Amino acid sequence: MAGTMAGTMAGATGGTVADPVAAADAAACASRSYEVRLLAARVAVCADRADSALSRLAGLELQTWQSPAGRAYRTALSLQAASLRRSRNTLQEASAVVLRHAQNVVLSSGRQGY
């Protein structure tokens, strides 16, 4: 009975010390996950702003340009729009990747104790 009592006490002591540490680790992971989600939201806002700029560029491209300088300007706008479109697509992909990373941060908090 004394051996059982000592084992129970040791288990109880070990359990109480580990629980606050595990809780602190889980809280830290949740905080990191939140910060990563905020980053993903900021990246998504950048993609939305790029999309808005693309809309404005499209409006300029649709204007009729009669002079050679005007046509050259429209060609330059088209090149810039293509570059901005690629950047927007990359930002959208980055936002999705960062969101997946935020989910992985949360999942990793569950595995740390095992």
Side-chain angles (χ1 to χ4, degrees), residues 28 47 51 53 56 59 64 85 87 108:
D51 203 37
R56 291 190 303 272
T64 56
R85 198 171 296 111
S87 297
S108 72

Side-chain angles (χ1 to χ4, degrees), residues 71-91:
R71 285 191 298 271
Y73 181 68
R74 188 170 86 183
T75 300
L77 285 176
S78 294
L79 293 172
Q80 293 301 315
S83 178
L84 186 57
R85 198 171 296 111
R86 286 189 301 273
S87 297
R88 182 219 36 214
N89 293 343
T90 301
L91 284 167

